[in-house]
Amino acid sequence: MEKSGSYISLKGDKAIWTIILFLSLISISAVYSSSSSLAFMKEKSTTDFLMIQMRYVIFSLTALYICYKIPLGWYRILARFIFILSIILLLLALVAGAEYNQAGRWIKIFNITFQPAEFAKVTTLLYISKVMEDKKLDTFKEYTIHIMTPVAIVLLLILYGSVSASLLLGGVILVILILGGIKWSHLLKTALIAIASVSLVILLNLSFGLFPRIETAVSRVKNFTTEEKISEELSAAEKQRIHDKTLQADMARIAITSVGILGKGPGKSTQRTLLPHPYSDFIYAIIIEEWGSIGGIILLMLYVWLFSRSIMITRKCKTTFSSVLVMGLALLITSQAMLHICVNVGLLPVTGHTLPLVSLGGTSLLIVGGSFGIILSVSRTIESGQTAQIIDQNSEG
């Protein structure tokens, strides 16, 4: 925090600070309400998980403040280094990663377990922002060396642990490359190479099972697009198997359709005891069940507000690095939020993505907090530059 006269103030976009405050408060309330099933399995009380989430939120806000205070120039200097570090961590997860929910994407260092893929998302955007500022990328060879190949390595390593996370990051990168003015011929060639690479990955998986998460993703899409009919001739075990395939989506649908504009009230959700992972993957459904459609709309508008404010910051940026970085991070946060929301309301198949800065979590909260901090660091730098310009103009006058 920075002292201004007799009071303490935070620089940067005030609306984003407000969004962070609201999301943090919603997170504490929603996780406390939805963690009863987890508390039962862990033989703990919901108060224990309230304290855990409050601790995570404090850590997240601490990471946010640290990233907010780091001068923008340091991000330029460290961009390539931390990008390489993230690749090393992804390789470590591939070789010696612990499995969680049948996904080998967690690593443990000094008794701390975290997802390197979450870290890699942000470092990749930092790296691309730096390269797009330093390189003209006029030739396809230069583009391949500095953008396509490094990004492909990261996406491939993330793909091993999560297909949806790899696709999400790839989509965000594509958008910022388009907005950044990369030649369409480069992007077309990239698309053709990507199609060929995906085909090769699928072939390798069918032949050797190298990417087990692809089978999970295909299964989820099939369950979403096709509906198996339950007949009386089926055995009880077969009927249960069919029910289990769509259990998460069915329970989320019940949670949402059981209320109207006003929900059942805080702490009065019934589906939280039946819905798998109501405190993370399906926390939006629980929020709607308790707070109604009005609560869901307000939460949705907070992310829309964040994106609109980020666009305003981008327009004020005077460097390619700042503008690409802010837009990339804003797209990453809001697109993950929209993906989570669409899954919860039944518009997309299950992906396993959490709701940024709201769902129960450690790594995800820290990374999202840091991402907010970077956006605010850019905003603070712009604000400081404008103040300095006004002072210079007054001095000349």
Side-chain angles (χ1 to χ4, degrees):
M1 295 186 179
E2 300 168 13
K3 291 185 178 180
S4 177
S6 58
Y7 63 93
I8 297 175
S9 64
L10 290 169
K11 293 186 177 181
D13 192 285
K14 298 298 187 293
I16 293 182
W17 282 112
T18 303
I19 292 167
I20 293 166
L21 173 62
F22 277 117
L23 289 178
S24 298
L25 293 175
I26 291 171
S27 174
I28 294 171
S29 173
V31 169
Y32 175 60
S33 175
S34 61
S35 59
S36 57
S37 59
L38 182 62
F40 177 77
M41 287 188 294
K42 299 289 185 179
E43 297 183 349
K44 295 182 178 180
S45 69
T46 52
T47 304
D48 292 328
F49 284 95
L50 170 65
M51 301 308 296
I52 289 172
Q53 185 65 2
M54 288 181 68
R55 184 178 63 192
Y56 284 151
V57 169
I58 291 172
F59 287 160
S60 175
L61 295 177
T62 302
L64 183 152
Y65 186 70
I66 291 172
C67 292
Y68 156 77
K69 291 295 291 182
I70 293 175
L72 197 55
W74 279 99
Y75 289 113
R76 285 187 171 90
I77 295 171
L78 296 173
R80 285 186 171 87
F81 171 75
I82 59 177
F83 176 68
I84 293 172
L85 176 61
S86 68
I87 293 177
I88 294 172
L89 292 174
L90 286 171
L91 287 169
L92 182 61
L94 181 64
V95 174
E99 288 194 354
Y100 181 75
N101 288 340
Q102 299 180 339
R105 54 188 178 185
W106 296 75
I107 59 177
K108 196 171 186 178
I109 299 177
F110 300 119
N111 208 33
I112 299 175
T113 307
F114 69 99
Q115 291 176 292
E118 297 296 323
F119 180 61
K121 291 177 186 178
V122 177
T123 60
T124 302
L125 295 177
L126 276 165
Y127 170 78
I128 291 175
S129 302
K130 176 63 175 171
V131 170
M132 291 181 70
E133 181 174 72
D134 291 348
K135 308 290 182 180
K136 292 184 178 180
L137 303 174
D138 289 331
T139 66
F140 186 70
K141 179 181 178 181
E142 188 178 23
Y143 167 79
T144 301
I145 293 172
H146 296 290
I147 295 287
M148 190 172 71
T149 302
V151 168
I153 291 171
V154 170
L155 293 179
L156 193 62
L157 291 172
I158 293 176
L159 180 66
Y160 180 81
S162 173
V163 174
S164 59
S166 182
L167 291 175
L168 175 64
L169 180 59
V172 170
I173 291 171
L174 176 61
V175 172
I176 63 175
L177 289 177
I178 293 172
L179 296 177
I182 297 298
K183 291 182 178 180
W184 281 101
S185 59
H186 293 354
L187 297 176
L188 179 60
K189 292 176 183 177
T190 302
L192 294 174
I193 293 173
I195 292 172
S197 299
V198 170
S199 300
L200 179 60
V201 166
I202 293 174
L203 181 62
L204 289 172
N205 184 66
L206 290 174
S207 302
F208 306 104
L210 296 179
F211 298 92
R213 297 302 294 177
I214 290 180
E215 295 178 7
T216 302
V218 171
S219 175
R220 286 174 173 177
V221 172
K222 284 183 178 179
N223 293 337
F224 180 76
T225 55
T226 59
E227 183 178 353
E228 289 189 60
K229 294 183 178 180
I230 301 177
S231 62
E232 294 297 329
E233 290 78 15
L234 294 176
S235 65
E238 290 175 327
K239 291 179 181 179
Q240 187 61 47
R241 179 187 59 82
I242 295 174
H243 281 302
D244 290 343
K245 284 185 176 181
T246 58
L247 175 64
Q248 292 175 308
D250 291 342
M251 293 300 102
R253 190 181 303 112
I254 292 172
I256 292 172
T257 57
S258 63
V259 296
I261 296 178
L262 300 178
K264 298 176 181 178
K268 296 182 179 180
S269 166
T270 54
Q271 294 305 113
R272 62 185 176 180
T273 59
L274 302 172
L275 185 62
H277 311 296
Y279 41 82
S280 56
D281 298 357
F282 287 90
I283 198 167
Y284 187 74
I286 301 302
I287 289 172
I288 291 181
E289 185 183 11
E290 294 189 351
W291 295 94
S293 57
I294 189 169
I297 291 172
I298 290 173
L299 184 54
L300 172 62
M301 293 311 297
L302 286 175
Y303 290 105
V304 174
W305 191 17
L306 164 67
F307 189 66
S308 65
R309 297 301 300 185
S310 298
I311 292 175
M312 293 176 64
I313 294 173
T314 302
R315 289 176 176 174
K316 295 178 183 178
C317 291
K318 299 187 182 299
T319 64
T320 301
F321 178 81
S322 298
S323 59
V324 173
L325 182 57
V326 171
M327 183 51 61
L329 291 174
L331 276 170
L332 182 63
I333 295 171
T334 53
S335 59
Q336 181 173 326
M338 295 305 112
L339 188 60
H340 174 98
I341 290 170
C342 286
V343 168
N344 275 238
V345 299
L347 296 178
L348 289 174
V350 175
T351 61
H353 282 288
T354 57
L355 190 58
L357 213 62
V358 175
S359 296
L360 174 68
T363 308
S364 59
L365 276 176
L366 286 174
I367 298 301
V368 173
S371 301
F372 272 110
I374 295 172
I375 293 173
L376 288 168
S377 177
V378 174
S379 179
R380 177 175 61 88
T381 302
I382 294 171
E383 193 175 292
S384 299
Q386 291 173 341
T387 302
Q389 187 177 14
I390 292 172
I391 292 174
D392 291 340
Q393 290 174 350
N394 291 337
S395 298
E396 291 174 3

